Amino acid sequence: TTGVPKGAGLTHSNFVSNVMALDAWGMFEHEKGQKPEKIRHGGFHTYLGVLPWYHSFGLTVAMLSACFSGSSLVCIPDPRAGNPPFTEVLKAVQKYRPTLMPAVPTIFVAFANHSQLDQYDLSSIIGCFSGGAPLPPEVCRQFEEKTGSIIFEGYGLSETTPVASANPANTQNRKIGSIGFPVPDTDFKIVDIDTGLEELPQGEDGEIAVSGPQVMQGYWNKPEETEAVFREIDGKRFFLTGDIGHMDEEGYFIITDRKKDMVLVGGFNVYPREVEDILFTHPKVAIAAVAGIPDEKRGEIVKAYIQLKPGEEATKEEFIDFCKENMAGYKQPREIEFRDAIPVSNVGKVLRRVLRDEEVQKQSG
């Protein structure tokens, strides 16, 4: 979803270790008021399968985790089905009473903004695992407010089978806007962007490097690409993720953005996620995507693509004023474009690369 396809070589032990780490990590309040405990095995849980099995997130966190715990799994081939879209999956939640729902942020957006949400009973869901893309804090707040469920965000890549870190699965210890802590047997380091060898101080942004039993063997038949993303640090093999982030004062890890998505505006680094998180706080926004587009004077400028909530109308000037009030000048989008739909992958990840490519084609054409 982020470039030229590469095969991540994952072994049986990669998958087993990741499923076992998730099983050890997740502590849920299975009944109201009771002490949180590990995921119950033997049929207590039902997973809602809104993610495709050919993606590592759906494969590990839904299908394999359901198998490991002896849980039921409700298969949703097309979560967008129905009129309006996403109606059929709401019907499935009411009918099958799932307890756990791994999903990507665009799914939570669709649920929270569904015009008929109040007509369906979603009270069976006790925990939602968000991954695949950064979860805007405002999306988390809206979804929890409207459904009564809890979202805990994690982080990973296909190369890490995929889960590398996760928030605690309770409101007392999870931190909205963070990716939590490394899962069991996993180490994180924040290293310099240029060499990937120098460990940076706590609080400073750098590239996230991951070591653990879930890390891939390498890219299939691509030895040079494999060598480029691995470093040996303190005697351990670390995978360079391409994601920029830091550890905060409480030890939680925060993703700033993808290294490749960073926008350089007049010498200043702008991370699209920071701008997107602010745009999501606007009451009319359903989905926001930000990308850097070429500009003769500044090198790059920030452009925002906005999908409004159903029935809403807005002007570019309205959003330009909103950005002026809520973010530093160099971060403000110089262009605003409204779209009926933002391009997303089959998993639901916003494809900034597609937006950038469209702009380059426009300018060259």
Side-chain angles (χ1 to χ4, degrees):
T1 56
T2 55
V4 178
K6 295 188 291 286
L10 302 176
T11 65
H12 179 74
S13 61
N14 285 143
F15 283 104
V16 170
S17 65
N18 208 218
V19 169
M20 293 181 71
L22 290 173
D23 187 68
W25 181 255
M27 301 287 286
F28 293 93
E29 189 179 291
H30 288 82
E31 277 94 20
K32 290 290 183 184
Q34 287 199 353
K35 185 178 179 181
E37 58 181 293
K38 284 178 59 176
I39 290 177
R40 292 180 181 176
H41 288 208
F44 178 91
H45 285 290
T46 296
Y47 284 72
L48 186 67
V50 294
L51 299 168
W53 310 145
Y54 57 76
H55 190 276
S56 60
F57 187 16
L59 177 61
T60 299
V61 186
M63 191 181 83
L64 294 180
S65 292
C67 293
F68 185 76
S69 59
S71 304
S72 300
L73 176 61
V74 179
C75 302
I76 308 293
D78 180 11
R80 295 175 179 80
N83 186 21
F86 292 92
T87 298
E88 292 303 313
V89 69
L90 291 177
K91 291 179 180 178
V93 172
Q94 181 163 287
K95 180 178 179 180
Y96 296 107
R97 309 285 296 163
T99 53
L100 299 172
M101 175 176 151
V104 292
T106 49
I107 298 286
F108 298 121
V109 168
F111 274 44
N113 293 330
H114 198 283
S115 61
Q116 300 170 9
L117 181 65
D118 294 342
Q119 299 177 23
Y120 297 95
D121 180 6
L122 309 184
S123 61
S124 62
I125 302 175
I126 64 174
C128 297
F129 189 98
S130 180
L135 176 68
E138 183 64 18
V139 171
C140 181
R141 187 193 66 78
Q142 289 181 13
F143 178 86
E144 292 186 346
E145 186 179 275
K146 292 183 178 182
T147 65
S149 185
I150 299 171
I151 299 178
F152 54 102
E153 185 174 6
Y155 164 76
L157 311 91
S158 295
E159 292 92 334
T160 57
T161 326
V163 185
S165 74
N167 264 279
N170 61 76
T171 54
Q172 292 78 27
N173 302 114
R174 68 99 190 255
K175 192 170 196 176
I176 295 175
S178 85
I179 56 168
F181 309 103
V183 295
D185 294 329
T186 303
D187 290 331
F188 273 29
K189 287 186 183 297
I190 305 297
V191 297
D192 72 290
I193 295 173
D194 295 327
T195 70
L197 290 170
E198 180 188 348
E199 190 169 359
L200 300 180
Q202 186 171 355
E204 190 171 327
D205 269 336
E207 185 166 359
I208 296 173
V210 180
S211 178
Q214 75 277 56
V215 174
M216 69 170 181
Q217 308 307 294
Y219 292 118
W220 187 253
N221 291 333
K222 291 185 179 292
E224 292 180 3
E225 286 88 340
T226 298
E227 185 180 356
V229 297
F230 282 101
R231 298 288 186 274
E232 185 168 323
I233 306 173
D234 297 335
K236 289 186 176 181
R237 181 174 179 258
F238 277 84
F239 168 67
L240 299 177
T241 62
D243 287 309
I244 306 298
H246 63 271
M247 180 197 287
D248 73 5
E249 67 281 356
E250 296 179 303
Y252 290 81
F253 283 87
I254 312 291
I255 293 282
T256 308
D257 221 320
R258 289 288 297 173
K259 187 163 67 172
K260 293 177 181 177
D261 287 336
M262 186 176 70
V263 186
L264 192 61
V265 179
F268 291 96
N269 292 341
V270 178
Y271 294 102
R273 183 187 175 183
E274 292 181 336
V275 181
E276 290 168 357
D277 283 352
I278 293 171
L279 289 171
F280 268 106
T281 66
H282 193 289
K284 295 182 180 180
V285 171
I287 299 177
V290 168
I293 62 173
D295 180 74
E296 290 184 2
K297 292 182 179 179
R298 299 181 182 87
E300 284 186 299
I301 60 170
V302 178
K303 180 171 181 177
Y305 302 82
I306 296 169
Q307 179 180 327
L308 298 172
K309 292 178 180 178
E312 295 286 0
E313 294 182 357
T315 64
K316 294 180 181 180
E317 290 72 24
E318 177 182 347
F319 275 93
I320 288 172
D321 290 343
F322 174 80
C323 292
K324 285 180 179 177
E325 293 173 5
N326 290 282
M327 62 186 79
Y330 69 93
K331 295 181 181 179
Q332 294 169 17
R334 301 296 169 182
E335 293 187 21
I336 305 285
E337 181 178 328
F338 295 107
R339 294 212 171 187
D340 293 333
I342 301 291
V344 296
S345 69
N346 288 338
V347 183
K349 184 185 295 186
V350 171
L351 297 175
R352 293 178 185 147
R353 172 174 49 83
V354 172
L355 297 171
R356 281 196 301 269
D357 290 348
E358 288 177 0
E359 293 295 338
V360 171
Q361 288 177 2
K362 282 181 191 176
Q363 293 182 10
S364 61

